[in-house]
């Protein structure tokens, strides 16, 4: 390296060194610090400090109403959402089952279904994300179907698509290389009014009554699209996008809807949501996998006929009526989660949480499962302050490194690159509740928050970038707050910016993991990694 380059780096170091804050708008907080140590411009010293890390029991409950099932937001409100359906069991966290509760509305208030309307069929359509380029087209099927009162020869084309692995978590296959795990889905009438203004209907452990069993299906991991073409003129009689189609009880809808034609129950949304209180989607399984689905893509379609008098000729043409299930119309929606922790490792760990010295193993799980609290010991902060004030050692980089526990979390369950997040919190002295007022300062300054490593290995590990956070404490006057680690990630806006620290995917994040905590006998224990620079 030339003398000029060395001198330039040295000047750069001095410019940074003279400031209490070391940041720019680069996406990675470490990048500038690493440049300062090239070819002798400065010495970089890396030190590791033990942390106090402990489990936080969220009592298997979380806010999971429509305002929390958010995937993307825009300036005018929620842009898209997710809910979870399924069940999954394993030894570390036990059994987790996810159901979905939703109101529905008439697409047109006080709609007239005509004279003597009669239900032909009712179908609920769920549309999980699919792998679009893995389509399989079945041979055309020639058949005859009844259209109104006429039997019509048709050709039916069916295409199948596998659902995307991105939105599945758990045992999706029956053994290595086996067939897809079956999911047994039920649809039931809800008999409890879902009062979106009541806090009881905002949390995942909500209890509701159910009435009529409306329908069921067995989902094998693939979805189908269908096109029915009339043979006489090649006109399309019916088309459907790829989805799970669940046939519902037509007699129920005859009594519940068409027999109330013109009655007050169907007059407006206020009456209707108290009359037909909603539907519950659930599974009968206790082990399998968890599947994320967009509620915005759901449809409930009723096919019916009514009597028409065409110049003295009585006909019964077929019509369709859609019920509104999407969140944009204000329907109450809740992710309902059940747990059975019996015999699990978390059941034992939650009974002996040590906030003073930390826990040896740390458990993190979305959808109301446990979180992790992390505290930098005050003695460590005092030591770092002394290094800064007396020896003028400038902190170049700070990160919290956390490893998965090789002994207990050696499995093939999905490990995502960024599905952990960290926020500063304060514990209320009276209630004991943890509260936060925003992001860590690194995130608000525009630095990346988390890096993941060795996701295909055992163990994997993650680094949380906390450079500015630590410098603000050591070189400034910020309070040394507890940091809360949750499963999930911060929700982005449609423009790609952060939507706010309260907007996260935690309410429907299916991932979980066991990590090494404050175990002094384990080389992979959670630690604070500090890189500081000393001028030669």
């Amino acid at each position: 390296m030339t003398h000029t380059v060395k001198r330039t780096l040295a000047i750069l170091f001095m410019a940074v060194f003279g400031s209490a804050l070391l940041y720019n708008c680069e996406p990675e907080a470490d990048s500038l610090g690493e440049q300062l140590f090239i070819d002798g411009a400065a010495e970089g010293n890396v030190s590791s400090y033990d942390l106090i890390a402990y489990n936080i029991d969220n009592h298997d409950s979380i806010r999971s109403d429509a305002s929390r099932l958010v995937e993307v937001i825009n300036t005018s409100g929620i842009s898209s959402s997710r809910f979870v359906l399924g069940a999954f069991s394993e030894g570390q966290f036990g059994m987790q089952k996810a159901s979905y509760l939703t109101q529905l509305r008439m697409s047109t208030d006080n709609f007239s279904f005509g004279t003597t309307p009669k239900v032909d069929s009712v179908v609920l359509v769920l549309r999980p994300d699919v792998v679009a380029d893995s389509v399989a087209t079945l041979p055309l099927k020639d058949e005859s179907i009844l259209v109104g009162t006429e039997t019509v020869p048709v050709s039916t084309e069916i295409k199948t698509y596998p659902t995307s692995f991105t939105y599945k978590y758990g045992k999706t296959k029956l053994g290595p290389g086996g067939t897809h795990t079956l999911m047994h889905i039920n649809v039931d009438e809800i008999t409890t009014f879902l009062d979106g203004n009541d806090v009881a209907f905002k949390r995942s452990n909500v209890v509701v009554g159910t009435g009529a069993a409306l329908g069921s299906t067995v989902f094998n991991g693939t979805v189908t699209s269908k096109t029915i073409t009339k043979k006489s003129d090649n006109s399309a009689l019916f088309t459907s996008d790829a989805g799970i189609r669940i046939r519902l009880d037509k007699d129920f809808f005859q009594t519940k809807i068409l027999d109330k034609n013109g009655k007050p129950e169907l007059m407006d949304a206020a009456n209707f949501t108290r009359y037909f209180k909603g539907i519950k989607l659930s599974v009968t399984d206790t082990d399998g996998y968890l599947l994320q689905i967009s509620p915005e893509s759901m449809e409930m379609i009723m096919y019916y006929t009514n009597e028409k008098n065409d110049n003295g000729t009585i006909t019964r043409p077929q019509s369709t009526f859609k019920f509104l299930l999407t969140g944009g119309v204000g329907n109450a929606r809740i992710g309902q989660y059940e747990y059975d922790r019996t015999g699990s490792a978390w059941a034992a760990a939650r009974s002996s949480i040590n906030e003073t010295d930390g826990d040896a193993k740390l458990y993190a799980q979305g959808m109301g499962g446990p979180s992790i609290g992390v505290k930098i010991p005050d003695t460590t902060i005092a030591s770092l302050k002394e290094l800064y004030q007396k020896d003028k050692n400038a902190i170049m980089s700070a990160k919290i490194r956390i490893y998965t526990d090789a002994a207990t979390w050696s499995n093939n369950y999905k490990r995502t690159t960024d599905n952990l997040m960290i926020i500063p919190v304060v514990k209320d002295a009276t209630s004991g509740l943890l509260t936060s007022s925003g992001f860590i300062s690194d995130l608000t300054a525009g630095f990346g928050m988390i890096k993941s490593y060795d996701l295909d290995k055992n163990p994997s590990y993650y680094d949380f970038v906390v450079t500015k956070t630590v410098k603000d404490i050591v070189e400034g006057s910020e309070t040394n707050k507890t940091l809360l680690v949750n499963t999930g990630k911060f929700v982005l806006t449609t423009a790609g910016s952060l939507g706010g620290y309260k907007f996260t995917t935690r309410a429907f994040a299916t991932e979980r993991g066991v990590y090494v905590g404050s175990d002094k006998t384990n080389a992979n224990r959670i630690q604070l990694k500090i890189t500081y620079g000393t001028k030669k």
Side-chain angles (χ1 to χ4, degrees):
M1 180 178 286
T2 67
H3 175 73
T4 301
V5 174
K6 287 184 177 180
R7 184 172 180 273
T8 301
L9 286 172
I11 292 171
L12 177 59
F13 172 77
M14 292 302 294
V16 174
F17 180 72
S19 173
L21 298 177
L22 173 63
Y23 309 106
N24 61 9
C25 293
E26 292 293 324
E28 299 299 343
D30 296 336
S31 57
L32 179 58
E34 290 171 355
Q35 295 176 34
L36 299 176
F37 308 131
I38 296 175
D39 198 22
E43 266 186 10
N45 302 293
V46 180
S47 298
S48 298
Y49 300 88
D50 288 340
L51 296 167
I52 300 169
Y54 56 91
N55 292 297
I56 296 174
D57 188 354
N58 294 309
H59 305 290
D60 297 339
S61 176
I62 191 172
R63 177 92 178 261
S64 62
D65 60 331
S67 67
R68 293 297 187 269
L69 301 176
V70 181
E71 184 181 37
V72 178
I73 60 175
N74 57 31
T75 54
S76 60
I78 295 171
S79 181
S80 65
S81 307
R82 292 273 166 185
F83 70 89
V84 182
L85 190 62
F88 177 44
S89 297
E90 41 79 24
Q92 294 301 310
F93 291 87
M95 192 279 294
Q96 180 183 36
K97 179 178 287 193
S99 303
Y100 179 62
L101 315 176
T102 181
Q103 287 178 331
L104 63 158
R105 301 188 184 199
M106 302 279 286
S107 53
T108 302
D109 290 339
N110 202 26
F111 182 78
S112 175
F113 291 98
T115 305
T116 60
K118 185 175 181 180
V119 175
D120 280 346
S121 63
V122 183
V123 177
L124 175 66
V125 185
L126 309 179
R127 293 192 174 93
D129 291 74
V130 302
V131 184
D133 58 359
S134 297
V135 59
T137 303
L138 302 182
L140 287 176
K141 181 181 180 181
D142 294 328
E143 56 186 336
S144 295
I145 63 173
L146 188 65
V147 180
T149 57
E150 180 186 3
T151 300
V152 179
V154 299
S155 291
T156 302
E157 180 185 66
I158 297 177
K159 296 181 179 180
T160 64
Y161 303 80
T163 46
S164 172
F165 180 75
T166 303
Y167 298 100
K168 300 177 186 178
Y169 186 88
K171 304 180 181 77
T172 57
K173 293 282 188 180
L174 297 173
T179 58
H180 197 281
T181 304
L182 300 180
M183 181 183 288
H184 300 79
I185 303 173
N186 288 335
V187 184
D188 292 283
E189 174 197 17
I190 294 174
T191 57
T192 304
F193 174 60
L194 303 180
D195 187 353
N197 296 316
D198 188 336
V199 67
F201 293 95
K202 297 180 184 291
R203 300 199 67 84
S204 60
N205 56 354
V206 62
V207 177
V208 298
T210 55
L214 301 182
S216 64
T217 193
V218 179
F219 176 52
N220 66 358
T222 62
V223 295
T224 60
S225 66
K226 181 181 289 189
T227 302
I228 301 177
T229 304
K230 192 174 180 181
K231 280 194 162 188
S232 61
D233 57 7
N234 288 325
S235 61
L237 290 176
F238 174 82
T239 59
S240 67
D241 295 332
I244 306 169
R245 298 177 65 83
I246 307 174
R247 187 176 291 272
L248 304 182
D249 183 354
K250 68 176 185 178
D251 293 334
F252 172 88
F253 284 87
Q254 179 69 44
T255 302
K256 195 79 174 180
I257 304 298
L258 293 192
D259 288 355
K260 296 293 183 179
N261 188 26
K263 301 292 179 62
E265 289 89 334
L266 312 186
M267 185 172 296
D268 54 38
N271 282 3
F272 187 76
T273 54
R274 285 165 175 78
Y275 167 63
F276 190 175
K277 298 176 177 62
I279 59 171
K280 175 179 180 178
L281 299 177
S282 63
V283 298
T284 58
D285 315 277
T286 57
D287 192 15
Y289 65 98
L290 302 166
L291 176 65
Q292 290 183 352
I293 302 173
S294 167
E296 277 75 22
S297 66
M298 292 174 61
E299 284 188 309
M300 183 186 287
I301 308 167
M302 180 171 65
Y303 300 88
Y304 70 97
T305 62
N306 55 18
E307 189 176 288
K308 298 286 187 179
N309 189 330
D310 185 11
N311 295 323
T313 302
I314 304 299
T315 61
R316 294 193 65 87
Q318 188 179 67
S319 301
T320 62
F321 184 86
K322 289 187 178 182
F323 297 91
L324 299 180
L325 293 164
T326 59
V329 296
N331 285 325
R333 295 176 291 155
I334 311 163
Q336 184 188 48
Y337 310 139
E338 303 170 58
Y339 293 90
D340 184 354
R341 307 290 192 180
T342 305
S344 67
W346 168 238
R350 76 195 309 182
S351 66
S352 58
I353 294 173
N354 187 341
E355 295 187 18
T356 303
D357 302 314
D359 295 320
K361 288 186 175 63
L362 304 173
Y363 297 80
Q365 180 185 29
M367 298 163 60
S371 303
I372 299 169
V374 180
K375 185 71 181 289
I376 304 173
D378 291 335
T379 53
T380 298
I381 295 297
S383 175
L384 293 172
K385 283 179 178 287
E386 184 175 5
L387 284 172
Y388 174 69
Q389 293 168 357
K390 290 186 177 181
D391 300 333
K392 299 302 179 183
N393 289 331
I395 295 174
M396 300 290 120
S397 169
K399 61 188 72 172
I400 293 173
R401 179 165 294 174
I402 184 171
Y403 283 85
T404 57
D405 184 52
T408 62
W409 202 244
S410 176
N411 53 58
N412 294 321
Y413 304 141
K414 182 175 60 177
R415 297 178 184 179
T416 58
T417 58
D418 59 352
N419 226 34
L420 286 173
M421 55 187 174
I422 192 168
I423 57 173
V425 291
V426 175
K427 189 173 185 177
D428 185 271
T430 303
S431 67
L433 296 176
L434 298 175
T435 58
S436 177
S437 59
F439 299 110
I440 62 172
S441 55
D442 295 80
L443 207 54
T444 55
F447 300 111
M449 184 183 68
I450 185 173
K451 291 182 178 179
S452 55
Y453 302 87
D454 298 339
L455 296 182
D456 59 342
K457 298 177 182 177
N458 183 35
S460 306
Y461 68 97
Y462 299 84
D463 282 347
F464 290 102
V465 176
V466 291
T467 309
K468 190 177 188 311
T469 299
V470 174
K471 283 177 72 70
D472 287 348
I473 298 169
V474 173
E475 301 171 10
S477 58
E478 285 295 318
T479 304
N480 181 24
K481 295 179 180 178
T482 297
L483 297 173
L484 177 66
V485 177
N486 278 322
T487 300
K489 52 190 173 184
F490 294 112
V491 173
L492 299 179
T493 67
T494 51
S497 59
L498 291 167
Y501 76 96
K502 290 184 178 180
F503 289 98
T504 77
T505 64
R506 184 177 160 228
F508 58 94
T510 55
E511 294 83 1
R512 76 284 305 276
V514 183
Y515 304 89
V516 183
S518 301
D519 182 357
K520 295 187 183 301
T521 66
N522 194 322
N524 288 338
R525 62 187 176 275
I526 188 171
Q527 288 188 320
L528 176 67
K529 303 285 185 178
I530 297 284
T531 302
Y532 58 90
T534 304
K535 181 72 170 67
K536 280 189 175 180

